[in-house]
Amino acid sequence: MTDIDDLRSKFLDLEFDRTGFVIDAEQSATVAKTSGETRSEFIDTTDPNFEACAPILASLASGRRLPIDFPKLGGISMDGGKAVACIKPVRPGIKLTGKTHLHDIYAKSGRSGRMIFLVSRMQLYNDSGEHLATTDSRQVIRERPDK
Amino acid sequence: MTVQTIGDVVFGDEITPWQPDTSLQATRSFAHAVGYSGSGRFEDHSKARAQGLPGALVPGIMGMGFLTSMIHRWAPRGKIKYIDTVFRAPVLADHEHTVTAVVTDIDEENGEVVLDLTIQNEQEETRVFGTATVQLPAAS
C-alpha cells in the first residue's frame, strides 16, 4: 500500500512545472457562452472589462501532470474535480506564467478500496509578477488491491 | 430571483434551479474552445461508447461553467472569488440536468456569501457538487 505520509513529505509544495499561456479572447467568450453565461464582461470581447471566465482558467494545463520523480501509483486515474480562486481579473491576450506544485495528497477508503487524491495547484502570474488566479486540479487514483 | 447587495441574501435561500444546454452542439463547441476535442468523447455518442463510456460527456469544467453562469444571473453585481467543483459521476450530453445552489453562509462584514452547488441528472442523482464564495456589494 502506498505510504501517503512519505509522498507528502517528499513532494508537497515543491514547484515541478512552469508553463506560459496566453488566453484567447474569442475562445474564452465561446466557453462562457456555451456554459450559459450572460454577463457582458465574460461573453463580449469588446467590453472594456472583458475577462477570462473561470472554466477557461481551469482548463489551463501544466506541462507535466506530476513531478518527474513521482512514483507510478498504478490503478485507474480519474479527473476528480477543479477549483478556481479568482484574485484579480485575468485579461485575455496577456502573457501568463503558471507555476505548479502538489498542494495536497490524501487517501479515502470506501467499500471498493482506497482512493488516492492528488491536488495539483497552479498559480497564475502576469509579466509583472502579480498573482492573478489559482487553479486546483484534483486527480483521483483508485488503488489496486495488491498495491 | 436576483440579489444586488449582501443585504438581499437570505440564509438557506435556493437560487432558482436551471436546466443548462447539454446538447452535443454545445459540448462540441466547448470542447473545441478548451482543446479537448478530437477523441469524440465530448462530441459523438457512438465514438464515446466505443471508448466504454455510456455516451458523449459534458466536460467537467463545462459543469463549472453552468454553475458560474447561474451564480452570475442570481447576483448580477457579484464576483465569484472561489469555486470548487467535485466531479462525482459523468454528466451525459443530450440529457436534461438541473443546476441548483443554496446559501449556506453569509459574512456581512466582508460582503461574502457561500453557496453549496449541485448538478443532478433526470434521476435526481448528484453528478457534480461543490461550493462557491461570492462577493457582493454592501447593503446601501
Side-chain angles (χ1 to χ4, degrees), chain A:
Chain A
M1 190 176 275
T2 303
D3 184 338
I4 300 297
D5 288 337
D6 184 53
L7 289 178
R8 290 175 61 88
S9 67
K10 285 180 181 161
F11 294 102
L12 284 192
D13 300 325
L14 300 172
E15 182 184 322
F16 65 85
D17 187 85
R18 193 173 286 206
T19 301
F21 305 98
V22 177
I23 294 173
D24 180 83
E26 291 296 340
Q27 286 177 332
S28 184
T30 299
V31 164
K33 281 186 256 187
T34 53
S35 303
E37 183 61 61
T38 53
R39 273 174 47 175
S40 172
E41 67 262 40
F42 297 104
I43 61 172
D44 180 357
T45 58
T46 65
D47 187 312
N49 295 314
F50 185 77
E51 63 177 282
C53 59
I56 204 152
L57 297 177
S59 77
L60 301 177
S62 54
R64 294 195 57 81
R65 289 180 74 186
L66 290 169
I68 196 161
D69 52 345
F70 197 83
K72 288 193 170 30
L73 301 181
I76 303 161
S77 175
M78 295 167 284
D79 185 357
K82 298 273 194 293
V84 177
C86 306
I87 300 164
K88 292 182 176 176
V90 177
R91 307 295 179 199
I94 67 165
K95 281 176 68 178
L96 299 167
T97 301
K99 301 177 185 178
T100 306
H101 65 272
L102 272 174
H103 172 68
D104 202 2
I105 303 171
Y106 58 97
K108 286 184 181 178
S109 295
R111 280 173 296 182
S112 56
R114 199 167 75 143
M115 313 272 269
I116 298 173
F117 292 75
L118 307 173
V119 182
S120 294
R121 174 163 290 181
M122 179 191 287
Q123 292 167 306
L124 284 166
Y125 298 86
N126 65 11
D127 257 2
S128 308
E130 282 181 296
H131 186 189
L132 304 181
T134 295
T135 67
D136 284 348
S137 181
R138 197 178 296 111
Q139 187 182 348
V140 186
I141 297 167
R142 188 186 298 274
E143 201 170 37
R144 285 187 183 141
D146 58 340
K147 288 290 282 184

Side-chain angles (χ1 to χ4, degrees), chain B residues 25-84:
Chain B
Q25 187 182 348
T27 60
R28 193 179 293 132
S29 297
F30 186 100
H32 181 72
V34 296
Y36 288 4
S37 56
S39 71
R41 62 168 44 197
F42 305 117
E43 303 149 281
D44 186 302
H45 288 302
S46 51
K47 284 183 181 171
R49 288 189 192 108
Q51 296 171 46
L53 298 166
L57 307 180
V58 173
I61 55 173
M62 191 172 182
M64 177 188 280
F66 295 158
L67 292 160
T68 56
S69 300
M70 179 177 65
I71 294 166
H72 285 154
R73 274 199 294 276
W74 171 69
R77 298 165 65 196
K79 176 178 167 45
I80 298 171
K81 293 184 71 180
Y82 179 73
I83 181 162
D84 185 9

Side-chain angles (χ1 to χ4, degrees), chain B:
Chain B
M1 182 192 68
T2 61
V3 295
Q4 298 298 325
T5 71
I6 191 82
D8 298 334
V9 183
V10 176
F11 179 82
D13 259 6
E14 188 178 338
I15 297 179
T16 308
W18 175 56
Q19 278 80 40
D21 179 4
T22 62
S23 67
L24 273 184
Q25 187 182 348
T27 60
R28 193 179 293 132
S29 297
F30 186 100
H32 181 72
V34 296
Y36 288 4
S37 56
S39 71
R41 62 168 44 197
F42 305 117
E43 303 149 281
D44 186 302
H45 288 302
S46 51
K47 284 183 181 171
R49 288 189 192 108
Q51 296 171 46
L53 298 166
L57 307 180
V58 173
I61 55 173
M62 191 172 182
M64 177 188 280
F66 295 158
L67 292 160
T68 56
S69 300
M70 179 177 65
I71 294 166
H72 285 154
R73 274 199 294 276
W74 171 69
R77 298 165 65 196
K79 176 178 167 45
I80 298 171
K81 293 184 71 180
Y82 179 73
I83 181 162
D84 185 9
T85 49
V86 176
F87 306 152
R88 187 167 186 261
V91 174
L92 294 178
D94 280 336
H95 285 252
E96 188 171 287
H97 287 74
T98 302
V99 183
T100 60
V102 177
V103 176
T104 57
D105 195 23
I106 303 171
D107 177 351
E108 293 214 29
E109 195 175 330
N110 293 306
E112 290 181 1
V113 173
V114 177
L115 302 169
D116 271 7
L117 314 166
T118 57
I119 300 178
Q120 290 188 321
N121 65 9
E122 294 141 311
Q123 289 76 42
E124 298 186 355
E125 297 163 333
T126 298
R127 316 307 275 176
V128 177
F129 65 91
T131 61
T133 303
V134 184
Q135 187 148 46
L136 285 161
S140 48

